[in-house]
Amino acid sequence: MSEKLSKQQIYDRIKATSKDSYILEEMQRLGFWQSGAEPSLSEILIQQETTIQKELNALLAQDKKFQNKEAMLVEMRKARMKAAKERRVETLQKREQLKIEKAQKWKLTQEKEIIYLGDQVSKGLNIQETNAALLDNYNLPVFEDVLALAQSMQIDLKALQYLAYHRSVSKIHHYHTFEVSKKSGGKRKISTPKPKLKELQNWILENILHKIPHTDEAHGFIKKRSIVTNAKPHLEKDIVINIDLKDFFPTITHKRVKGLFHKMGYSEQIATILSLLCTYSEVDEIDLDGVTYYVQSGERKLPQGAPTSPAISNMIVYKMDKKISGLAKKLNFTYTRYADDMTFSTSNENALNVSRLLYFIKKIITSEGFIIHPDKIHIMRNGMQKKVTGVVVNKKLNVDRLQLRKFRAVLHNINQNGWKDQQWGKAIHLINAVEGYINYVAMVNPEKGAQFKKSLVAIISKHGKPEIEKPTPIEKEKLIVPPVLEEPKTIVEDQKPGNWWNIF
C-alpha cells in the first residue's frame, strides 16, 4: 500500500502539472483508469496539458528572474565572488607551501653551499668544475665542493663564509694594520691577519702553496734559501745591478690570485674562496656616533704580513722569472730574485750589454703587470761597495762595515753602562734586536757572528738580561717580523719546477 500524501504534497504536484493530470495519475494508480491500453482523447489532452503546464511554469520562473535584474546580478556576483575567494584561498595555500619548500631548500643550500660572498667577487661561485688530474699531478687536495673545503680546514661553513666575505662597509676587519720604518726611509704598511684567519692562511700555505715548485732563481721565503744564497751567485762580479719592483704585493690583486688557484686545477668556486682568504682591501676607519666603521678603499690585493703572501708572490712571478732568466743567460748575466729585489751580475767584458738588459727587463716586467721602482735601480761597479739584499759581495760575503762599527759601539756601551737607555735600530725590545742582528751576522759571516755571541754572553753575565713586558695581543702581532724579512718555518724540500711552467 502506497504512502498517503499530505495536503502540501498534493498541492505541490497539482502546481507542478495540473489538477486533471493529478486526478488521472491517481485514478490510474488506484485502478479506476486502465493503464497501458490505447489512450483516449481525454487522456492525451490531459498529458499534453501537463507538458505545456511544466514548460509554462519554467518560462514563468525564468521570466520572474529576468524581471528582477538586480537580484540576478547580485546572485551572479555572489557566485563569482565565492569562486574567486575559493581560488584565492587555494593560491595562498600553494604560495605558502612554495614558500616553505623554498625556505627549506635555502636552508639546505646554506648548510652545503656558499653562493654569495659580496659584490664584484661572487662571480663563478656556482661553477664547481675541477681539474682533478692537474691537482693530482701536484699532489694537491681535491675538494668536491665548498663543504669539503670547510671540512678539510676543520671549520664551520658559516665561519668560512664570514672570514672570506668581501664587505664594502663593515663594523669588523680581519687584519691588524700598522706601519714600520724602512731602512731606506719611509714607511711600510703591514697588515697581519687576526688569529682565526691566520689559521686558515697557514692551512692553505702548508696544504696547497708549499706543494707547488719554485724557480731556481727565487730565494725568498724558501727553505734552505736566504739572503745569503741570493747573494752568493754574485760574489766577486765586476758589475752588480739591483732592481726593485714597486708596490710588489699590492700589484698582485684578488683577480690574479684567483686565476692562480684556478690554474692549479681548482674550480672557480674554490679558487674564489681561497683567493678571498688570502687577499684583503685597505680600509678607512670612520667613527660615527661612537661606532667604528671600516670602509673599503681600493681593490683586494695581497697583504704584506699574511703568511700566504710570499709563497703566492713567488708563484705569480714564476713565468716572469723564467723569461728574465732566459734573457739574462742570453746576455751573459747571472740572475737571482729575493721577493721584489732582482739582482743581475756580470763581468767588465760584458758591460756593453747592461743597457740592453735594462731595456728588455723593463719590457718583460711591464708585460707581466709589475712596475720597476724608478729610484731603486742601482748599478755597482769595481771600486764601489757592492751589496745584494744587504750582503756585501765584493770579495767575500760580509756585512756592511759601517753597520758593524755601530753595532760594536752599542755592545761596548751596554757592557760599560748596562741595558738602560741603549738603542739598536727602532726595536721595541733591545735584547731581541741585538740577538736578531747577531744571528744575521752569523748567517753571513759565521766568524764575526761567533765573536758577537761571546760578547753578548759576557754582557748578560755582567748585567743580566733585561725584562720584557708581556705585549698585548695587538702589540704581539706588531712584534712579528714582516714576511719580507723572515724565512718560512716549513716548506717542501727538493722541489723541481717540473711542468708547473706549463699551466701558465
Side-chain angles (χ1 to χ4, degrees), residues 161-194:
Q161 184 176 20
Y162 169 75
L163 291 169
Y165 204 93
H166 175 73
R167 301 167 178 84
S168 298
V169 181
S170 177
K171 294 181 183 178
I172 60 170
H173 191 44
H174 296 308
Y175 288 83
H176 294 303
T177 300
F178 54 94
E179 292 182 336
V180 295
S181 298
K182 295 181 181 179
K183 289 183 179 180
S184 58
K187 299 286 186 180
R188 188 192 303 278
K189 183 174 284 188
I190 305 297
S191 297
T192 60
K194 293 179 181 178

Side-chain angles (χ1 to χ4, degrees), residues 413-474:
N413 288 335
I414 295 172
N415 187 50
Q416 293 295 318
N417 307 308
W419 295 96
K420 189 177 180 182
D421 299 327
Q422 301 298 327
Q423 185 69 35
W424 177 246
K426 296 183 179 180
I428 297 174
H429 301 299
L430 178 60
I431 183 64
N432 290 343
V434 168
E435 289 177 338
Y437 187 73
I438 290 175
N439 290 334
Y440 162 67
V441 173
M443 180 173 60
V444 178
N445 189 324
E447 185 180 340
K448 288 181 180 176
Q451 292 173 2
F452 283 140
K453 285 180 181 180
K454 279 186 179 182
S455 299
L456 181 60
V457 169
I459 289 171
I460 292 174
S461 175
K462 182 178 180 179
H463 297 286
K465 207 170 184 178
E467 291 184 7
I468 299 176
E469 294 181 6
K470 190 175 181 180
T472 64
I474 293 179

Side-chain angles (χ1 to χ4, degrees), residues 98-127:
L98 287 173
K99 189 177 179 181
I100 293 170
E101 290 175 0
K102 188 176 180 181
Q104 291 174 341
K105 186 178 179 181
W106 174 246
K107 186 179 179 181
L108 290 173
T109 301
Q110 284 183 311
E111 290 174 355
K112 296 181 179 180
E113 291 291 341
I114 293 177
I115 61 174
Y116 186 73
L117 285 171
D119 294 340
Q120 301 175 349
V121 299
S122 297
K123 185 179 180 182
L125 284 174
N126 61 330
I127 302 175

Side-chain angles (χ1 to χ4, degrees), residues 98-276:
L98 287 173
K99 189 177 179 181
I100 293 170
E101 290 175 0
K102 188 176 180 181
Q104 291 174 341
K105 186 178 179 181
W106 174 246
K107 186 179 179 181
L108 290 173
T109 301
Q110 284 183 311
E111 290 174 355
K112 296 181 179 180
E113 291 291 341
I114 293 177
I115 61 174
Y116 186 73
L117 285 171
D119 294 340
Q120 301 175 349
V121 299
S122 297
K123 185 179 180 182
L125 284 174
N126 61 330
I127 302 175
Q128 300 182 19
E129 186 177 351
T130 297
N131 189 334
L134 191 56
L135 292 170
D136 186 61
N137 188 42
Y138 292 101
N139 196 29
L140 296 174
V142 179
F143 311 109
E144 293 182 2
D145 51 31
V146 68
L147 184 60
L149 173 64
Q151 290 171 345
S152 297
M153 291 179 163
Q154 296 183 341
I155 187 174
D156 181 76
L157 190 63
K158 288 186 178 179
L160 178 61
Q161 184 176 20
Y162 169 75
L163 291 169
Y165 204 93
H166 175 73
R167 301 167 178 84
S168 298
V169 181
S170 177
K171 294 181 183 178
I172 60 170
H173 191 44
H174 296 308
Y175 288 83
H176 294 303
T177 300
F178 54 94
E179 292 182 336
V180 295
S181 298
K182 295 181 181 179
K183 289 183 179 180
S184 58
K187 299 286 186 180
R188 188 192 303 278
K189 183 174 284 188
I190 305 297
S191 297
T192 60
K194 293 179 181 178
K196 196 60 186 177
L197 178 58
K198 191 172 184 178
E199 283 182 24
L200 297 190
Q201 290 178 350
N202 279 322
W203 186 95
I204 294 170
L205 184 66
E206 297 300 326
N207 292 277
I208 298 176
L209 300 178
H210 279 174
K211 295 184 179 182
I212 300 296
H214 49 74
T215 63
D216 294 332
E217 295 75 22
H219 289 264
F221 328 114
I222 299 168
K223 193 174 183 180
K224 294 186 178 180
R225 296 192 181 189
S226 64
I227 56 174
V228 174
T229 62
N230 183 62
K232 192 172 285 187
H234 308 287
L235 187 63
E236 296 187 276
K237 293 293 182 71
D238 296 322
I239 301 172
V240 177
I241 304 169
N242 284 335
I243 297 175
D244 273 16
L245 299 179
K246 186 178 181 182
D247 298 328
F248 184 49
F249 282 179
T251 307
I252 302 174
T253 61
H254 159 68
K255 185 177 179 181
R256 297 180 76 172
V257 178
K258 176 186 173 181
L260 174 70
F261 283 114
H262 190 44
K263 286 175 181 176
M264 289 180 189
Y266 288 111
S267 66
E268 277 204 55
Q269 181 192 54
I270 299 298
T272 299
I273 294 169
L274 292 175
S275 176
L276 289 171

Side-chain angles (χ1 to χ4, degrees), residues 79-104:
R80 284 200 302 269
M81 287 176 67
K82 182 181 179 183
K85 188 175 181 180
E86 289 173 352
R87 286 196 302 271
R88 206 159 43 240
V89 169
E90 185 180 351
T91 301
L92 287 172
Q93 289 174 343
K94 286 182 179 179
R95 286 180 181 173
E96 190 63 29
Q97 183 61 32
L98 287 173
K99 189 177 179 181
I100 293 170
E101 290 175 0
K102 188 176 180 181
Q104 291 174 341

Side-chain angles (χ1 to χ4, degrees), residues 16-28:
T17 56
S18 66
K19 183 178 178 181
D20 291 338
S21 175
Y22 172 72
I23 294 171
L24 177 62
E25 289 176 359
E26 285 297 305
M27 289 180 71
Q28 288 176 342

